[in-house]
């Protein structure tokens, strides 16, 4: 019996030993598994970070054309808060306005060439122009100031998590102190778990009969959020401790704390989840994390206990009480002085009224950005690599274009008694020198993700095709000059069907032999078709391709009047080549792309190619200026000063279904289309529809006059306008015209020097045809 007793004890000890070994093996196995998981996660990409898309910085300089109304709307889009008293202008992201004088507390931003500190700036506007600007509390009156580029959109990961990465170095020092003080006071001394705290919480929970107290360290909280599910079970809690210990064994406290600051969940914006203090700072306060004050940091840390329960927009009283509890803890632990605590507790929540929405305010423009990005980057990188994409969007131009679309379409519908809401529009604006897209409006409801008319509406372009016909002719100066007579009379073109095609002028009036330039100035169809057929359809198609229309299309005689379909963006591309003097450059929306650490991943320099000689393009652009002064676009003078020297062309399609206008100044080109989505007639010509939209927004934005300088291969020669033969200055019908050198009639009188500047292009008073054409020729020598 005694032996049996000893044997039993021996067996029990063996079983305990084996059980302990087995348990130890199990613990080791679990730890090894979670250790590998932690290492793989930390050594790889920690988070899927959305690509962020920014507009170009908003810049100011004395003399800049700037509407106070549009400026204030731009500030709202950049999430600046308006204050009613200058004394309340106490933190970045706020502005004060008194009539046309703005004082802004601009935000910190790291530009490529400098770090812009946060601080107050003063902008005074007078008669829609910047009169003066300077940095407040500084004697320096700057020639140029700029605001941090506005965030205009993001491409989110499929889990819809959003965050702005921060480091402990860039975070305000109070943030980690506050976090440790409130969430885990022994953070710097424990090894991932706090056994005594677990036992203490266990006793409390047993006594209460429910989970009244938690005992998770910051490491455990991070383990739960970063690696595990939110399931409430003993196994999940045990796994959480394994992961926390594994993190502590492999990484130092600062690395764990920095990861926590970026990972923690702090609210919801529709489908977008707000993670990390970096994003929460802009989401709740509209400013950079480093600009937060003590009461704002306390609010964010306090929200960790329950982001929904303490949402300051929905439950401000609860949020205020929780914030003050955190401030009291900071005071009691000596982190904040009593005076600082009292001051912080007296401050309002300071949360901006309108959250920074994840949806883009400019969805049509973002469509184009994404289209160009996907040519070079897989979509997975756009949704996860945390790229910062700096675009060419100019907010002032964008807002002016959007408002012109809304106001002019409404005015047209009322004035012509059209059904309200039936008209649609598309607008594209580019910089003439770089072909950067400054603005893009996809429809009259610019904020909605509706059909993008500027990118996807393929409509016949009508007379916008005609400059390609005339440029083809002028590129052959031995055959064609501005004054080469061409016939404007009915023409019948045989068709395979047996029924001839007979193009007609818009007003059904024909003018017989006319100088070539007048056929384009007045957009005569019959003479354009005759000229195009004489040149040959392949030649015109080749010109169109060199202008930038890359699609291979069959050309028919009717194509000479614009039956081919293009989007406003495609039209902008072909007119860009004219606006740049014959140099082709592809449309672009992206200036540079940066990695998450701020370093440059890729720049997008300007690429240009000379597709046309300067002389023929110069001659054509002179005609397009005359289109605006005395041709089909002459009514534009009621909206735009003539001194701007605008060159442009109207376009109208059959049955008045599509209204187009394309035009450019010295620095900007814009294309506008107006029509109906059901393709029914809108009853508008290019001048009565699209040109009104074009003129309205161009009058609101900065523009420089278009001054065409004759290239070296162009000379001015006096001829008889009626006959095209040489003439003497002062003789009847004498007029000065630009010619490609060697193309003018022999024995013509060359105009040069002071004599040419004083007197050229003189005609008798009884001849009115082309009078304004004379005027711009006179301007040539001013």
């Amino acid at each position: 019996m005694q032996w049996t007793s000893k044997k039993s004890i021996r067996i029990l000890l063996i079983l305990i030993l084996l059980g302990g070994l087995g348990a130890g093996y199990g613990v080791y196995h679990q730890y090894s598994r979670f250790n590998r998981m932690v290492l793989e996660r930390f050594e790889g990409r920690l988070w899927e970070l959305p690509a962020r898309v920014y507009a170009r910085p908003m810049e100011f300089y004395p003399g800049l054309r700037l509407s106070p109304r549009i400026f204030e709307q731009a500030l709202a889009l950049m999430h600046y808060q308006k204050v009613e008293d200058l004394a309340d202008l106490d933190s970045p992201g706020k502005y004060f306005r008194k009539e046309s004088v703005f004082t802004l507390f601009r935000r910190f931003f790291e530009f490529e060439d400098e770090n812009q500190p946060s601080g107050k700036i003063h902008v005074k506007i007078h008669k829609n122009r910047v009169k003066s600007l300077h940095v407040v509390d500084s004697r320096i009156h700057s020639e140029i100031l700029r605001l941090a580029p506005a965030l205009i959109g993001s491409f989110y990961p499929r889990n819809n998590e959003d965050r702005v990465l921060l480091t402990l170095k860039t975070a305000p020092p109070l943030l980690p102190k506050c976090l440790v003080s409130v969430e885990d006071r022994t953070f710097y001394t424990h090894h991932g778990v706090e056994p005594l705290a677990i036992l203490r919480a266990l006793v409390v929970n047993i006594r209460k009969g429910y989970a009244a107290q938690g005992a998770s360290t910051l490491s455990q909280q991070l383990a739960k959020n970063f690696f595990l599910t939110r399931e409430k079970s003993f196994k999940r809690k045990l796994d959480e401790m394994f992961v926390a210990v594994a993190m502590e064994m492999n990484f130092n406290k600062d690395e764990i704390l920095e990861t926590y600051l970026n990972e923690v969940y702090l609210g919801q914006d529709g489908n977008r989840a707000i993670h990390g203090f970096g994003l929460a700072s802009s989401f709740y306060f509209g400013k950079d994390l480093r600009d937060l004050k003590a009461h704002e940091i306390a609010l964010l840390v306090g929200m960790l206990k329950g982001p929904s329960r303490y949402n300051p927009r929905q439950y401000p009283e609860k949020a205020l009480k929780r914030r003050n509890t955190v401030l009291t803890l900071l005071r009691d632990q000596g982190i904040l002085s009593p005076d600082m605590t009292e001051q912080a507790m007296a401050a309002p929540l300071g949360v901006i009224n309108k959250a920074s929405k994840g949806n883009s305010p400019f969805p049509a423009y973002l469509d184009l950005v994404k289209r160009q990005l996907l040519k070079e980057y897989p979509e997975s990188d756009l949704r996860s690599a945390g790229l910062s994409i700096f675009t060419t969007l100019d907010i002032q131009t964008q807002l002016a274009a959007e408002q012109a679309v809304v106001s002019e379409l409404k005015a047209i519908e009322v004035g012509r008694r059209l059904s309200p809401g039936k008209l649609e529009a598309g607008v594209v604006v580019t910089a003439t020198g770089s072909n950067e897209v400054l603005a893009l409006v996809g429809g009259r409801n610019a904020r909605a993700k509706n059909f993008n008319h500027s990118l996807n509406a393929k409509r016949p372009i009508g007379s916008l095709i005609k400059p390609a016909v005339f440029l083809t002719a002028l590129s052959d100066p031995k055959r064609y000059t501005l004054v080469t007579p061409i016939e404007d009379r009915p023409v019948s073109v045989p068709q395979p069907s047996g029924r001839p095609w007979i193009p007609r002028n818009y007003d059904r009036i024909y003018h017989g032999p006319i100088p070539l330039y007048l056929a384009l100035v007045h957009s005569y169809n019959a003479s354009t078709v005759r000229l195009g057929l004489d040149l040959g359809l392949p030649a015109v198609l080749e010109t169109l391709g060199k202008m930038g229309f890359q699609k291979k299309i069959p050309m028919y005689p009717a194509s000479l009047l614009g039956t081919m379909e293009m989007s406003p963006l495609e039209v902008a591309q072909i007119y860009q080549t004219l606006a740049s003097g014959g140099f082709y450059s592809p449309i672009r929306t992206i200036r540079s792309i940066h990695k998450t650490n701020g370093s440059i991943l890729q720049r997008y320099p300007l690429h240009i190619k000379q597709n046309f000689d300067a002389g023929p393009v110069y001659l054509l652009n002179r005609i397009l200026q005359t289109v605006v002064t005395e041709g089909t676009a002459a009514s534009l003078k009621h909206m735009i000063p003539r001194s701007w020297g605008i060159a442009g062309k109207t376009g109208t399609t059959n049955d008045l279904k599509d209204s187009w206008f394309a035009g450019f100044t010295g620095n900007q080109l814009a294309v506008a289309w107006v029509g109906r989505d059901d393709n029914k007639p809108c009853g508008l010509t290019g001048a009565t529809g699209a040109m009104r939209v074009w003129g309205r927004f161009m009058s609101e934005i900065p523009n420089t006059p278009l001054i065409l300088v004759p290239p070296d291969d162009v000379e001015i020669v006096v001829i008889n306008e009626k006959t095209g033969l040489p003439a003497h200055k002062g003789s009847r019908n004498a007029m000065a015209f630009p010619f490609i050198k060697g193309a003018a009639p022999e024995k013509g009188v060359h105009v040069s020097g002071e004599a040419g500047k004083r007197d050229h292009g003189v005609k008798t008073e009884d001849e009115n045809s082309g009078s304004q054409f004379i005027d711009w020729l006179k301007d040539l020598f001013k």
Side-chain angles (χ1 to χ4, degrees):
M1 187 72 178
Q2 188 177 2
W3 179 86
T4 305
S5 178
K6 289 183 179 179
K7 183 177 180 182
S8 298
I9 293 173
R10 190 178 297 133
I11 292 173
L12 180 61
L13 290 174
I14 292 172
L15 289 174
I16 291 173
L17 178 61
L18 290 175
L21 290 174
Y25 176 77
V27 168
Y28 176 77
H29 178 73
Q30 282 289 84
Y31 173 77
S32 298
R33 182 168 69 89
F34 286 117
N35 190 63
R36 286 194 303 272
M37 183 174 69
V38 167
L39 289 174
E40 288 173 1
R41 181 71 184 271
F42 270 77
E43 290 174 356
R45 183 182 290 170
L46 288 177
W47 296 280
E48 289 189 332
L49 300 173
R52 301 187 183 279
V53 185
Y54 296 89
R56 69 202 306 159
M58 198 168 189
E59 296 184 333
F60 312 95
Y61 52 86
L64 172 72
R65 187 174 185 85
L66 182 64
S67 158
R69 172 178 54 84
I70 288 182
F71 182 35
E72 192 159 32
Q73 291 172 349
L75 290 175
L77 280 169
M78 290 185 279
H79 305 294
Y80 274 78
Q81 271 189 297
K82 186 177 184 180
V83 297
E84 299 302 325
D85 193 302
L86 196 56
D88 296 329
L89 196 67
D90 57 0
S91 60
K94 295 182 178 181
Y95 76 96
F96 172 75
R97 177 182 179 182
K98 184 177 181 181
E99 297 178 349
S100 294
V101 179
F102 292 80
T103 306
L104 293 81
F105 204 134
R106 64 178 175 178
R107 302 184 180 102
F108 169 87
F109 191 79
E110 296 182 10
F111 291 97
E112 287 187 38
D113 53 349
E114 67 171 341
N115 287 348
Q116 173 187 281
S118 59
K120 297 178 184 178
I121 64 172
H122 190 76
V123 181
K124 186 175 182 179
I125 303 173
H126 180 66
K127 293 183 178 180
N128 288 339
R129 291 194 181 276
V130 175
K131 184 176 182 180
S132 64
L133 51 103
H134 68 274
V135 178
V136 179
D137 300 327
S138 171
R139 296 181 180 180
I140 300 175
H141 282 253
S142 303
E143 289 300 317
I144 186 168
L145 291 175
R146 54 186 173 180
L147 299 182
L151 177 66
I152 61 171
S154 300
F155 302 118
Y156 294 106
R158 303 200 180 277
N159 60 14
N160 277 334
E161 288 187 5
D162 194 6
R163 54 176 52 80
V164 175
L165 290 187
L166 61 88
T167 65
L168 283 178
K169 291 182 179 179
T170 60
L174 180 60
L175 176 59
K177 292 179 182 178
C178 182
L179 181 62
V180 170
S181 174
V182 173
E183 292 292 320
D184 188 359
R185 295 182 195 178
T186 61
F187 174 71
Y188 286 103
T189 58
H190 65 62
H191 298 287
V193 295
E194 187 64 275
L196 291 179
I198 294 173
L199 290 174
R200 195 165 48 242
L202 183 61
V203 171
V204 172
N205 293 340
I206 290 174
R207 286 177 178 175
K208 299 259 185 193
Y210 61 92
Q213 192 176 102
S216 293
T217 63
L218 283 178
S219 301
Q220 287 176 264
Q221 293 179 39
L222 179 59
K224 177 179 66 177
N225 294 334
F226 211 37
F227 295 97
L228 306 172
T229 68
R230 296 186 179 273
E231 174 193 2
K232 292 184 178 180
S233 68
F234 178 76
K235 180 182 182 303
R236 207 275 301 150
K237 192 69 177 177
L238 197 59
D239 291 345
E240 176 186 299
M241 289 189 283
F242 276 116
V243 175
V245 172
M247 286 193 298
E248 294 274 352
M249 292 296 291
N250 289 285
F251 302 97
N252 63 45
K253 292 290 186 179
D254 283 351
E255 290 173 316
I256 293 171
L257 186 58
E258 185 173 281
T259 305
Y260 183 95
L261 292 172
N262 285 301
E263 170 58 24
V264 67
Y265 173 74
L266 281 164
Q268 199 71 28
D269 176 28
N271 292 329
R272 181 175 67 137
I274 307 300
H275 282 261
F277 286 89
L279 180 60
S281 174
S282 60
F283 181 70
Y284 290 109
F285 301 110
K287 52 188 175 182
D288 189 271
L289 182 69
R290 72 194 79 196
D291 292 321
L292 293 188
K293 297 181 178 179
H295 68 276
E296 295 165 331
I297 291 173
L299 175 61
L300 294 182
V301 172
M303 289 176 62
L304 293 174
K305 191 173 182 180
S308 299
R309 188 190 323 160
Y310 298 109
N311 185 324
R313 295 193 179 96
Q314 290 184 301
Y315 309 108
E317 293 181 359
K318 288 184 179 180
L320 184 64
K321 185 177 179 179
R322 175 63 182 160
R323 182 203 72 178
N324 290 346
T325 297
V326 172
L327 289 170
T328 301
L329 286 172
L330 296 179
R331 181 199 62 194
D332 294 344
Q333 295 179 45
I335 297 174
L336 290 181
S337 68
D339 288 343
M340 292 177 63
T341 303
E342 184 179 353
Q343 184 180 2
M345 292 178 73
L349 286 175
V351 175
I352 58 177
N353 296 326
K354 188 177 181 181
S356 53
K357 289 292 183 183
N359 294 331
S360 172
F362 309 119
Y365 189 92
L366 205 63
D367 282 349
L368 179 58
V369 172
K370 186 174 182 180
R371 179 183 293 187
Q372 296 195 348
L373 284 170
L374 289 177
K375 293 179 181 178
E376 301 181 54
Y377 297 92
E379 187 165 1
S380 59
D381 282 356
L382 298 185
R383 294 185 178 275
S384 63
L387 304 176
S388 292
I389 301 158
F390 293 90
T391 72
T392 61
L393 177 73
D394 183 276
I395 287 184
Q396 182 186 356
T397 304
Q398 178 71 29
L399 291 175
E402 290 176 358
Q403 292 169 22
V405 165
V406 173
S407 61
E408 287 302 311
L409 292 191
K410 183 178 180 180
I412 291 169
E413 289 170 344
V414 171
R416 292 182 171 265
R417 298 180 180 179
L418 301 175
S419 299
K422 289 293 185 181
L423 292 180
E424 269 295 353
V427 175
V428 178
V429 188
T430 65
T432 56
S434 62
N435 208 7
E436 294 179 336
V437 181
L438 305 178
L440 188 144
V441 183
R444 67 190 298 165
N445 187 355
R447 298 289 174 267
K449 290 186 177 180
N450 295 329
F451 183 74
N452 193 333
H453 295 85
S454 286
L455 299 187
N456 302 320
K458 308 286 187 178
R459 306 298 284 261
I461 64 172
S463 295
L464 293 187
I465 190 66
K466 290 177 180 176
V469 178
F470 287 80
L471 180 57
T472 307
L474 294 171
S475 296
D476 186 1
K478 292 183 178 179
R479 295 179 61 196
Y480 297 101
T481 68
L482 293 181
V483 295
T484 299
I486 58 175
E487 289 287 344
D488 184 55
R489 55 185 176 83
V491 57
S492 178
V493 181
Q495 297 293 301
S497 64
R499 184 177 181 180
W501 174 60
I502 305 176
R504 295 179 173 84
N505 287 344
Y506 177 75
D507 56 6
R508 301 296 195 271
I509 297 175
Y510 302 91
H511 310 84
I514 57 172
L516 179 143
Y517 79 92
L518 283 181
L520 182 55
V521 166
H522 298 294
S523 201
Y524 296 147
N525 290 338
S527 49
T528 299
V529 170
R530 286 181 174 275
L531 177 62
L533 293 175
D534 187 42
L535 294 166
L537 297 179
V540 175
L541 181 60
E542 181 182 357
T543 296
L544 196 60
K546 290 166 65 178
M547 290 172 70
F549 188 60
Q550 305 296 336
K551 295 180 181 177
K552 300 299 181 182
I553 58 171
M555 284 287 284
Y556 304 100
S559 302
L560 296 169
L561 298 183
T563 57
M564 77 276 291
E565 297 180 341
M566 294 188 195
S567 67
L569 185 73
E570 290 171 328
V571 173
Q573 178 67 80
I574 65 174
Y575 272 78
Q576 173 68 29
T577 305
L578 302 180
S580 62
F583 289 88
Y584 167 81
S585 57
I587 273 184
R588 60 196 186 117
T589 60
I590 305 169
R591 286 185 159 187
S592 63
I593 298 178
H594 296 234
K595 300 178 184 178
T596 54
N597 61 6
S599 63
I600 293 286
L601 175 64
Q602 186 172 354
R603 294 184 188 274
Y604 288 81
L606 178 63
H607 296 286
I608 61 174
K609 178 184 178 183
Q610 185 172 3
N611 282 357
F612 297 97
D613 292 337
V617 177
Y618 169 81
L619 299 180
L620 177 68
N621 287 343
R622 281 297 191 178
I623 302 176
L624 293 179
Q625 284 184 317
T626 313
V627 170
V628 175
T629 56
E630 68 173 270
T632 57
S635 59
L636 193 61
K637 64 186 176 185
H638 301 299
M639 307 177 77
I640 302 290
R642 184 177 174 182
S643 60
W644 285 14
I646 293 167
K649 184 70 187 77
T650 55
T652 310
T653 60
N654 289 342
D655 302 321
L656 302 182
K657 290 183 177 180
D658 301 282
S659 170
W660 291 90
F661 186 74
F664 50 94
T665 62
N667 63 320
Q668 289 174 135
L669 174 143
V671 174
W673 166 87
V674 172
R676 292 178 53 151
D677 282 338
D678 58 12
N679 204 31
K680 291 183 179 179
C682 62
L684 302 170
T685 64
T688 58
M691 194 178 77
R692 288 183 54 174
V693 174
W694 191 98
R696 179 64 57 206
F697 81 82
M698 287 292 270
S699 68
E700 293 275 353
I701 60 177
N703 275 285
T704 58
L706 175 62
I707 301 173
L708 297 177
V709 179
D712 293 339
D713 63 341
V714 169
E715 59 183 351
I716 306 300
V717 178
V718 176
I719 63 166
N720 185 308
E721 184 200 9
K722 296 295 185 181
T723 66
L725 298 176
H728 295 284
K729 290 187 297 181
S731 64
R732 188 178 178 84
N733 299 326
M735 186 172 178
F737 279 92
F739 290 87
I740 303 297
K741 286 182 178 179
E746 295 182 3
K747 300 181 181 180
V749 180
H750 290 246
V751 181
S752 60
E754 292 301 318
K757 294 180 183 179
R758 290 194 305 270
D759 182 25
H760 72 278
V762 180
K763 293 182 60 176
T764 57
E765 293 182 358
D766 61 333
E767 295 178 280
N768 297 317
S769 176
S771 60
Q772 295 201 26
F773 187 71
I774 299 173
D775 291 339
W776 66 246
L777 280 167
K778 289 179 179 178
D779 291 340
L780 178 67
F781 294 95
K782 290 183 180 179

